[in-house]
Amino acid sequence: MLDRRQILAALGTTALATLAPGALLAAAVIKPDDASALLVIDVQNCFLPGGSLAVKDGDQVVPVINRIAKAFSNVVTTQDWHTQGHVSFASVHSGKKPFETVDLPYGKQVLWPDHCVQGTDGAALSKDLAIPHAQLVIRKGFHKDVDSYSAFLEADGKTSTGLAAYLKARKIKRVFVAGLATDFCVAWTALDARKAGFEVYVVEDACRGIDTQGSLAKAWADMAKAGVKRIQSADIAVSA
Ligand code: VGL
Ligand code: ZN
């Protein structure tokens, strides 16, 4: 005969061993619905290996994005889409080098190598992206004197790209952000999406960062503070 204490002990072990893994797995899976959209940020040749502003391991986001995109009925892609001689290019500021900063009327601007000039091959989306069901391509950074990391709002903090209105018109409530670069266009997009009232997830392993002057750690801290949820691609349910 087992006494009460032994029965409880045995039950406890069994319950833990049999239930816990399944319960944890179930809790981890997020299923995108028709009110969810995947925002694929700036997966453009300039940001990929060999590009003029190559993000380290930037190409590794492509297979991850291709896989999770299958779980989304709504997908938007973005393109950084600068004029020649854009204000964010170090080449137009005499004596300045890429990754230095300059003060512009709207605030501090990091200066970059020339990149993503309208109509160039560098500005094209990666040919390895496999998301033919993407519904909208939003281009940003096309005003010569204003940068736009965010897919929602230009760096002047007031000029809209129209994306929030588009998503709201389509009854989107949740956005999942992936792409390049984590600490610039992904983070600014995620933060503005929160400001516009969306529930926001950033899919960490579907992004890569530039990380200049502590920008990556700061971006994650700012996103956490704003209520952006940091998830992994494995957290998203993708049916086979
Ligand atoms: C980006 C720097 C300059 C980005 C765009 O896509 O994150 N970064 N322009
Ligand atoms: Zn840019």
Side-chain angles (χ1 to χ4, degrees), residues 47 80 82 88 112 115-116 147 149:
F47 299 121
D80 210 33
H82 297 313
S88 74
W112 306 105
H115 65 281
C116 296
D147 205 0
Y149 297 143

Side-chain angles (χ1 to χ4, degrees), residues 41-44 47 53 55 78-82 86 88-89 99 109-113 115-116 140 147-149 179-188 208 210:
I41 305 300
D42 297 3
V43 184
Q44 294 167 270
F47 299 121
L53 180 39
V55 178
T78 71
Q79 282 176 295
D80 210 33
W81 200 249
H82 297 313
H86 190 260
S88 74
F89 296 173
F99 306 101
Q109 171 71 50
V110 181
L111 298 174
W112 306 105
H115 65 281
C116 296
K140 61 186 179 61
D147 205 0
S148 189
Y149 297 143
L180 304 170
T182 318
D183 38 349
F184 289 92
C185 293
V186 168
W188 287 50
R208 289 293 184 282
I210 293 173

